[in-house]
Amino acid sequence: MKNPIRNRSLLLFSLKFDLKMKITVFLLFITLINIQAKNYAQNTKITLDLENVTIEKVFNEIESLTDFKFLFNRKDIDVNRIVSVKVKKEKVRKILDLLFLTVPVSYEVLDKQIILKSDTRKKTIPLPIIKEKEQQKEITGTVTDNDGFPLPGAAILVKGTDNGTTTDFDGKYSITVSENATILVVSFMGFSTQEIEINGQNVINIKLLSKTSSLDEVIVTGYTTERKSDLTGAVAIVDLDEVVTQPVADVNSMLQGRVAGVNVMSSGSPGAVTTLRIRGFSTIRNNDPLYVIDGVPTTTGLSLINPNDIESLQVLKDASSASIYGSRAANGVVIITTKKGKASDPKFSFDMYLGSQNVSNLPDMLDAQEYGDVYWQAYENDGITPNHSIYGNGVSPVIPAFLDAENTIPSANTKWVEEIFNPALIQSYNINFSQGNDKSHSLFSLNYFDQEGILKYTNFNRITARLNSDYKLFNDKVTVGENLTVAFSNSVGTSTNSLLGNVVYDAFRMPSIAPVYDINGEFTGYPPSDVQNPLGNLYRNKDNERNNTKIFGNLFAEIELIEDLKFKTNFGVNYTTFKSEKFNPTFEEPNAHRAINNLSVVNNIKFDWVWSNTLNYTKTFNDKHNLNVLVGLESISNVYEYTTASIQDLPTNELNIRVLNAGDQGTQTNTGDKIEFTLFSYFGKINYNYDNKYLFSATLRRDGTSKLLNNRWGTFPALSAGWRISEEDFFNKEGVLSNLKLRLGWGKTGNQDIPAYQTVSGFSSNPYYSNYAIDGSQTSTQTGYTLSRIANPDLKWETTTQSNIGLEFGFLNNSLNITADYFIKNTEDLLLFQTLAPDVGITNRGQWNNVGEMENKGFEFDINYQSDRTKDFNFNIGLNFAVIDNKLLSLGEGIDFIETNPAVLHSINFDQSTSRTAVGQPIASFYGHVVDGIFQTDAEAASSIQPNAQAGDFIFKDLNGDGIIDAEDRTFIGSPHADITYGINFSAVYKAFDLTLFFQGSQGNDIYDLSRYYNDFFNLANYNKHGRILNAWTTQNTNTDLARVSLNDLNNNIRPSSYYVQDGSYFRLKTFQVGYSFPESIAKKIKASRFRVYFETYNLFTITNYDGLDPEIGLQSYTSDDRNLDIGVDRGIYPSSKTFTFGININF
Amino acid sequence: MKNILYIVFIIGIFFTSCSDEFLDNEPYGELTEEQVSAPENIEALIISAYSILNGQGNEASNAFNSPASNWSFGDVLSDDAYKGGGGTGDQNQIHRMEIYATDPQIRDVEQKWAVLYEGVKRSNTALNVLNNSTEISETLKAQRIAEMRFLRGHFYFELIKLYNRVTYIDENGNYLSNTQITPEQVWGKIEDDFSAAFAVLPGTQSDPGRPTKWAAKAYLCKTYLYQKKWTEASLAATVVIDDGGYFLEPNFNEVFLPNNDNGSEVVFSIQYSINDGSPRNYNGSIGDRLMPPGGPRYPAYGFFRPSQNLVNSFKTDINGLPLLDNVDVTDTNTVDPRLDVTVGRPGIPYKDLGIEYSDSWARDLETYGPYGPKKRVMSANDPNYLASWPYVTSSNYLVIRYADVLLWKAEALIELNDLQGGKTYINMVRNRAKTGNYIQNLDNTGDAANYLIELYNDFTSKEEAITALRAERRLEMAQEGQRFFDLVRWGIADEVINKYLVKEQIKRGYLSGATFVAGKNEYMPIPQSQIDGGGTDEAGNSLSTQNPGY
């Protein structure tokens, strides 16, 4: 038996997927046979209905119904304790749990003997004992947690007496109390004890609140779980209940300001990709963190995950916590666990919100007359006699009745930026069914989210369904289950934050004199300019939907092989399809038109699977040595393929004609490609703690990737330790300081995120640059093959080494908690597409290489105070902030800096290089000339080193002192990175009312306002200008920082300079929420256990000096690879909306 | 015990070494270096080398920074054209070039260099594989090698013409930086390539995209001309004229029609195609995609606008000869009929669209004046014009056309003091302009303007002949990316351009500060990235050196 298996296991991966699956099934089968139903007695189920009897009576009853015998010492056990037991077909163990829940007694089941002994470690809670019967009144009810799930075993005590009881498996209780009893005290482990006034009620349902910052909270870390108090790494736990009402699609967006050291980078438009930066930018290319959802790693964004489905979210920030995910953990790991069914009767909840989103802070552009006036000023400054095709040639500009000779375009005074925005509806509906018993749990949820864009004719909507279930088999030795979500989304978006094709930017640029419509009611424009009517553009794009379908989930089985040793196998799938249809209709505007319509269709399929197998051994020796060992392996496969097709000249612009077959077949195109990569990993982790005081953890992971060749394998170790000083005998926990822990961590994580195949050379055909009509044809080409890349077979893993020191303080019985962390993160062997000297050609002008080093150092601080939650008025106040210093230490020999890829620079920046990633500077620092004031007189200008300058022009600093202002005089003129980012949360509850305020901000970051390129300079004369240009330098207005307006701009005032760099600091009231929970008497009428309504505002106000649309600039969306090289450049982004919502939460 | 056994099995899985096979992924859709040397695949490498001729080397839509036609480098930098577009801030780096504030970091300077070296690289790659191939027939192999040497000659010619001091890389990977090889040596290498191509290439090619023997000879002629090797140039031109079988198109305005783009006048052209299945139509005239002049039928990119000076240069005197007074043309002036083929002028019908060009077409009339490009713009009615983005055409860019060769011959003869011989060839070119169709007014009832052109009588001096030759080249070759390089090789760029700037800045204020610096602005700077990233010698100095003045 042994040899064949060994031999086959050697073949494990030679046949990839199929064989591996077979072997697992085989091994599972063997394992299952092994775990035969032994000791059936333990699983015998009995029914008891005993009221107010001694505990001895219960023992006797159990002994009579089963083969069990109780063994105990009478001095340890109070056999006369009066209890009530009402159970139906329950296991004996469960009954014992209940019986001894609140008394210092523990039990052990040895074969058919139940040994009871005194257990002083267990805390004594008031004993639920009825000594004498003076029943005058019976009170019944249910004790649940905050979500309405029953809490079996909660203790209920009449205050001031020892009259008490416990709840049953459904959380129900019944207690007889004397007439003069006034208050019930309800307690349960892990929850705040609560006092309830009886007030003559017969039915009292009680909701217990889980204790904040409970150190016993169990959280999911790498492949396993840990108690929070045992953590040795920097792990942030996000309370999703607080954020889930935010009117945004994506859970990433909800994290802004919530976690110290985590920054959210969004690209604005509904449904667009939002991503996180955890502890700064650790590399140059892809900085996106790894997400692990129910054990399935994924790097694609979360916009298709329903935020309501998330049970818990942890951010693993440092290497010691993240390195178990070694291969892709360098940018941090976000662990998401979705909700599971709980042991209860079927539960149903409904949550919804409905709101209105509004744009605010729109820039004030020049109106039609002002634009003409400034134009005339420019003529005057240049010494030109005014002669304008629209405004005439008089001494002052004249607004004509029509802008064209044919009198079809009436002049207007359009506020274009207001024209393209409108208030928009946002709504979300979520239902959730769950149920379970001790053998199985299931949860089903359905969410519909619909966000209209504040930009007209844009929107995003999404439907997600989830089914999570698990089953216990073979005497609970085996748990199998699945988590599955299916999501569909549909969006109509538009490109923003690029200089070309950006509708927001076009609205900035379109002169106000241009009307929206011509006399025939058609979209029109401004004859001297090429800007398309922005509203027309949005309108023409309104049916260009993009559809995503995502199937994401996992199947798992966990087997307890022997006591304390569990084997878990988890197979996860992420299948995403993307389809977009873009139809560009014919249209005609004065200087922009499309004579032939076209349709292009894109289909992508992304299929990832991951299969992980782990063995986990947990054991406590001698009560003091707690050991947890995990070993595992994981294989990951990732396939991406796409096809595109397009056609032109469809017979009409109607919706129903928009299929590829309808166009001119001579214009058809298609492209397609396929990319695959695989990863294979071994990993192990040991957690050891001695007496819950001294904590140690060691991790080792070894990863192989198909993206590398000669250095395919990387090894990623991590070590960490914690000292719970407050557990020491010398420490007085009852003092002011109630908890104190020191954490130290060190570890390495890896990154191999480069395009596949960079280690092998080959030749490929590319329709953009390798074909040629050698035969002279006007409409066909022959296929050419071009070198695909300059391969580097010696590429290796990029490695990030991170050290972390953390301190956790708890004050006043842990109602005030402070966490402080300092880290140093150093990334070496940066994977960089190294641009080579241009004489290597243009097509592959570079090579992937391991060059350079990046450093992030930072300090994170988190403080939280929770007042006594059992009081009518209670509140929570939290503050977090992070200070992160990013610095590029090296880019390899001979290279001092890199800039945005020229291939994308044209469309996003109009060929302006604004940012430079240079050695010794933070990534993507702004780079340009330094403006050192304005020449106030022509004489001053003439005597300067700027040959063509006049009064009113910028004075540029001659930084190298060579007497010439040229490209060599550029320097670093600002940083997009904040000195400090912070979030402040305040929430309060008064009786049925609750209030939440959440502020968030950033201090010390700069914004490169590239929109000024068109909006502040008259050498792009035919575009509208920003209102601030009215303050441009003139002989009458000399005290200004805006250069004189000039059509010729001989001084080149427009060049990239510090003029564009603005302070981007802001402070924003992100959310403001007031809620009201209806009293149970009202909730009951609709059979609800909880019925809450709330009103919320999102982005209500922002305090900032930045005069653009929105200081939260985020990242470009063009590719995940290049966007880190131009952070914080504003080219007219899709702004954040100010949103007002009304919401309802109901639990049944 | 039994438990432990099974656990051992499972642990067994964990620690069996993973087969690297799981991690070996072959790239999809690629040929390996071995596969590519199969004869049919070598052809694909060769196609790839031709493909880069159009200046498009990646997936970005910015081939206008490295145009095959050299509209920016050859015309905007000369006295013939303005950058145009939406103001001086639009493609500001070309504006910087236009006012001779070019610096080594300018985008176009780097991209043009990189594209030309991509051509060198693709030619060398094909040459290398061809040289090592044993499967391909000897005749075909020799011919393909000759084609690749022709292409390599072309790319180096472009490089040396623009940058003068260039890197030289051969098919075996030998690398000589511009401090290790002189321009004279590079010229020698270019001559070698064209000579070798001439020796092997056939007189006709069934694929018109491939160079013929005569194309190689013509290019060799141009190479001599640029080195002022007048005798060799004259001889080479004679071979092309006598044996090449080329004819001038009868009508000047038909030279640039798609139907004639491999016609009797075309010696070597870059093949363009549209609607050929390429997703963005980058195989069309992608480097010229900013050229459409605006108005009701074209998008208003509005770049590449003819200068007033150029328009004035078409004015003729009462004898129908160029009147070089640079006074603005009026309606009563007589003009060379080629003017309205070359330049979109207000009031003159534009192509066959049935409408007149108007100054309202101009995107930024205030800055760049009323004129629009016309010569190499296709009629919007022509199916070879793509009426959707990127608005390119399939009409080839003519690298060498027969009129060019005739004028080379004339120039060589004049320089060799054969003034009458020179006159003959100049007049061959003028005669076509004279006898061909003239642009008609909208009603088709007469000439659109006051056209007058006559042939030259005998030149009385070499100076007069040279003036006539140079004027003729300007008129005939205007807007074809030649003018600036002609001015430079004639050694008169400094004089002509500075004179132009003084006059032109009255109309075009943005030229006010511009000065052409002799000894500097004749050549582009070497891209800074080449100097910084092109390696260092043992002493740590850059292997590449900057051109003078930058």
Side-chain angles (χ1 to χ4, degrees), chain A residues 492-556:
Chain A
V492 176
T494 179
S495 145
T496 63
N497 210 20
S498 70
L499 284 199
L500 289 182
N502 169 359
V503 76
V504 176
Y505 208 79
D506 284 351
F508 291 170
R509 295 197 297 171
M510 184 68 114
S512 304
I513 195 171
V516 180
Y517 304 102
D518 64 16
I519 54 168
N520 303 316
E522 303 286 337
F523 290 113
T524 188
Y526 183 61
S529 122
D530 64 329
V531 180
Q532 288 185 22
N533 185 319
L535 189 66
N537 228 346
L538 285 166
Y539 179 80
R540 290 188 287 270
N541 189 53
K542 72 185 171 61
D543 298 309
N544 288 332
E545 291 188 348
R546 298 146 64 86
N547 299 300
N548 273 293
T549 306
K550 188 183 187 88
I551 299 170
F552 187 98
N554 63 319
L555 283 167
F556 64 91

Side-chain angles (χ1 to χ4, degrees), chain A residues 94 139 151 290 371 516 549 805 854 956 981 1058 1128:
Chain A
K94 288 277 175 187
I139 296 174
L151 296 172
L290 179 71
Y371 174 68
V516 180
T549 306
I805 177 164
M854 180 103 82
F956 293 106
T981 52
S1058 54

Side-chain angles (χ1 to χ4, degrees), chain A residues 7-118:
Chain A
N7 289 340
R8 291 188 67 179
S9 63
L10 282 169
L11 288 171
L12 194 55
F13 293 99
S14 56
L15 295 182
K16 295 199 178 177
F17 184 68
D18 280 347
L19 184 55
K20 279 188 300 181
M21 278 301 275
K22 283 177 193 163
I23 290 177
T24 303
V25 169
F26 179 67
L27 287 164
L28 284 177
F29 179 69
I30 292 174
T31 316
L32 293 178
I33 293 171
N34 172 47
I35 311 159
Q36 303 143 12
K38 64 171 189 179
N39 203 350
Y40 81 89
Q42 254 195 31
N43 295 293
T44 310
K45 289 181 176 172
I46 56 173
T47 299
L48 293 175
D49 185 0
L50 303 167
E51 201 156 320
N52 295 327
V53 295
T54 64
I55 200 157
E56 191 159 29
K57 167 89 171 117
V58 182
F59 295 165
N60 295 338
E61 198 69 19
I62 292 174
E63 285 178 350
S64 72
L65 289 169
T66 66
D67 297 341
F68 285 114
K69 289 282 176 279
F70 284 87
L71 295 176
F72 53 91
N73 185 335
R74 280 188 177 260
K75 80 171 198 283
D76 286 347
I77 309 298
D78 175 12
V79 294
N80 294 319
R81 186 159 63 102
I82 306 290
V83 293
S84 300
V85 182
K86 236 184 197 176
V87 295
K88 255 188 193 169
K89 290 195 173 171
E90 262 311 329
K91 281 196 291 186
V92 173
R93 264 181 185 276
K94 288 277 175 187
I95 297 166
L96 293 173
D97 283 342
L98 262 187
L99 281 176
F100 302 115
L101 189 77
T102 57
V103 292
V105 174
S106 64
Y107 68 88
E108 204 175 318
V109 182
L110 279 179
D111 204 12
K112 287 174 186 168
Q113 291 172 340
I114 297 171
I115 302 155
L116 302 178
K117 52 189 176 187
S118 138

Side-chain angles (χ1 to χ4, degrees), chain A residues 296-328:
Chain A
V296 183
T298 173
T299 50
T300 50
L302 296 186
S303 63
L304 290 179
I305 297 287
N306 171 9
N308 292 288
D309 281 346
I310 299 177
E311 171 79 28
S312 73
L313 188 150
Q314 276 86 242
V315 182
L316 310 185
K317 296 195 282 194
D318 74 335
S320 60
S321 57
S323 71
I324 187 73
Y325 291 108
S327 54
R328 293 185 290 171

Side-chain angles (χ1 to χ4, degrees), chain A residues 27 30 34 528 593 676 678 682 761 763 769 771-772 774 778 786 789 839 843 910-911 970 1013 1019 1023, chain B residues 3 13 18 22 28 30-31 33 48 51 57 88-91 105 107 122 175 209 271 274 363 394 530:
Chain A
L27 287 164
I30 292 174
N34 172 47
H593 34 75
E676 180 179 8
T678 47
Y682 309 92
S761 61
F763 293 84
Y769 54 73
N771 301 339
Y772 194 66
I774 193 79
Q778 312 284 14
T786 306
R789 65 191 69 81
D839 63 11
T843 304
F910 220 64
D911 298 302
R970 294 178 296 167
Y1013 190 76
N1019 43 354
Y1023 304 117
Chain B
N3 288 334
I13 308 175
C18 160
F22 180 67
Y28 291 100
E30 286 190 12
L31 297 172
E33 288 185 41
S48 162
S51 176
T88 55
D90 193 358
Q91 292 297 319
Q105 317 211 14
R107 173 70 184 286
R122 292 189 190 183
Y175 180 98
Q271 307 294 314
I274 59 169
R363 177 162 166 207
S394 65
Q530 181 63 47

